[in-house]
Amino acid sequence: CDPLVDPEVDARGSGGLAAANMAWRGCFLSWSKVDIISSPCRGNRFTLYTQQRCGFKKAPKKNEVKKVEAEDGGRNQLVSSDASVQKKTLTPPAEFPAPNVPTRSFARLLKPFVFTVGFTGCSFGTAAIWQYESLKSRVQSYFDEVRADWLEKLRPQKEGDFRKQVNQWWNGLSEGQRTVTGIIAANALVFCLWRVPSMQRTMIQYFTSNPASKVLCFPMVLSTFSHYSLFHMAANMYVLWSFSSSIVSMLGREQFMAVYMSAGVISTFVSYISKTASGRLGPSLGASGAIMSVLAAVCTKMPEAKLAIIFLPMFTFTAGSALKAIVALDTAGLFLGWRFFDHAAHLGGALFGIWYVSYGHELIWKNREPLVKIWHEMRTRGPGSGGDGSP
């Protein structure tokens, strides 16, 4: 395309001058467009804009492509006027409604309250039946264990057997440590799921407790096994492992599991109430509420026991003093609005642990006999029972 203007065209008057100016403009845009496309640093988005190489170019319409100065590595980009307006505008278009902002409503807590009561009752009912079945199977398997020990002595020993080493390690653990091993494994599994990108939406919806979420009940249980931070999980599991022997020897493994699971749900419900009342709606996760219940139960039952911090073993203090300090710290954090921990959940778990070892054991666990009798009658009337009703 030759940018020179013929003298005859120039002599035609104002119309000729307009045509010449259009020729100059079309050729200039054509050269600049070719330079941009042929640049070795161009991206895929430049291939979407094509233009004629020479000749006259029509005047751009309102919605056609215009040249806009945009700094992107020192290059000029061709963007549409509509696109530039959308980039500068942060508000959604008028035809699209804004997302609904969750509002504080204590009426939404009715369903979590019913779930908390029902789950707690089912936990202790299941624990009572589990204890019944454990005692029954322990008697029936006594002779099997004796026979297994006799065969183990006759069988030639294999040195360096990995399975044997694992069995020795497992048998060396206390009953409480063996009980919490499954809880620690479940927390480790959920921690690994947080690292899967495709699981992020599911983890946020079901493994974090938030009173503003659409799902309120299941996260009350699942968030008790959920940790996003490795340090958070390690600290909680260390405290659980440290107090496992004391709490299981005091309550038994079945009653301990009922207290642990119930404490997780109850502490989450207390957190729901606190967040709804303060208006600070947000997600929470972790086993701290349930572990605080275990810690509070042990410290209430054995207030003179000596405790120490793992990093400062030279400083010791009584369990009762530690419990008072923790409760005071969480109370101050709750009323002062500290956001680092879910202080309401901590207080809920601690208060439930104190209440259970003081009064709940007498009110709940010692009144499990009617349920156990009903289960026993159902078991003896099963297809495996004899004609006289004996098992």
Side-chain angles (χ1 to χ4, degrees), residues 84 175 268:
S84 63
E175 185 180 6
T268 304

Side-chain angles (χ1 to χ4, degrees), residues 33-307:
K33 183 62 184 177
V34 172
D35 292 339
I36 292 174
I37 296 178
S38 60
S39 174
C41 299
R42 69 180 185 272
N44 293 334
R45 61 181 179 274
F46 291 114
T47 59
L48 299 177
Y49 307 102
T50 57
Q51 232 179 27
Q52 55 186 358
R53 290 184 175 274
C54 60
F56 294 96
K57 180 180 180 295
K58 295 182 180 180
K61 296 182 181 179
K62 185 176 181 180
N63 294 329
E64 286 184 354
V65 176
K66 297 180 181 179
K67 183 177 180 181
V68 180
E69 292 292 332
E71 183 177 356
D72 186 9
R75 299 189 304 272
N76 291 332
Q77 299 179 351
L78 294 177
V79 295
S80 64
S81 59
D82 294 339
S84 63
V85 172
Q86 290 179 2
K87 287 185 178 180
K88 295 179 182 179
T89 304
L90 298 179
T91 57
E95 60 269 20
F96 294 102
N100 294 328
V101 179
T103 57
R104 293 186 296 167
S105 176
F106 285 98
R108 299 188 75 243
L109 300 182
L110 178 60
K111 188 176 180 180
F113 173 74
V114 175
F115 178 81
T116 301
V117 175
F119 184 85
T120 301
C122 291
S123 297
F124 282 96
T126 304
I129 295 174
W130 180 18
Q131 187 185 58
Y132 168 84
E133 294 293 336
S134 297
L135 293 175
K136 187 176 180 179
S137 62
R138 194 175 301 175
V139 174
Q140 293 178 352
S141 62
Y142 173 76
F143 295 103
D144 294 337
E145 293 178 358
V146 172
R147 185 167 62 90
D149 293 339
W150 180 70
L151 292 176
E152 185 68 21
K153 294 179 181 179
L154 295 179
R155 187 180 304 168
Q157 301 294 326
K158 296 182 181 180
E159 297 182 0
D161 189 3
F162 177 76
R163 184 177 179 181
K164 181 180 177 181
Q165 294 177 358
V166 172
N167 290 333
Q168 291 178 351
W169 170 80
W170 180 259
N171 293 329
L173 299 177
S174 64
E175 185 180 6
Q177 292 173 339
R178 289 196 296 266
T179 303
V180 301
T181 300
I183 299 177
I184 296 175
N187 282 268
L189 176 61
V190 176
F191 174 79
C192 294
L193 292 178
W194 273 108
R195 269 59 197 169
V196 180
S198 60
M199 292 289 295
Q200 293 297 308
R201 180 172 296 182
T202 302
M203 300 301 292
I204 294 174
Q205 184 175 8
Y206 291 100
F207 287 84
T208 60
S209 58
N210 187 355
S213 176
K214 295 181 179 179
V215 184
L216 294 176
C217 296
F218 287 112
M220 299 177 72
V221 181
L222 298 179
S223 63
T224 308
F225 299 89
S226 179
H227 297 84
Y228 186 80
S229 170
L230 178 61
F231 177 78
H232 186 199
M233 184 186 70
N236 281 343
M237 296 302 103
Y238 175 78
V239 174
L240 179 62
W241 182 269
S242 301
F243 286 87
S244 60
S245 299
S246 300
I247 190 67
V248 172
S249 63
M250 185 170 59
L251 300 178
R253 61 176 182 176
E254 298 86 6
Q255 190 179 183
F256 158 73
M257 287 300 301
V259 171
Y260 185 86
M261 298 299 295
S262 300
V265 176
I266 292 173
S267 61
T268 304
F269 181 71
V270 175
S271 176
Y272 278 0
I273 296 176
S274 174
K275 291 178 181 178
T276 304
S278 62
R280 297 172 180 174
L281 306 179
S284 299
L285 73 168
S288 302
I291 295 174
M292 279 294 298
S293 180
V294 173
L295 187 149
V298 174
C299 292
T300 302
K301 203 70 175 178
M302 298 181 292
E304 300 300 327
K306 294 295 182 179
L307 302 178

Side-chain angles (χ1 to χ4, degrees), residues 374-386 389-390:
I374 294 175
W375 179 257
H376 176 73
E377 293 176 358
M378 293 175 59
R379 289 276 291 165
T380 54
R381 293 174 184 175
S385 61
S390 59

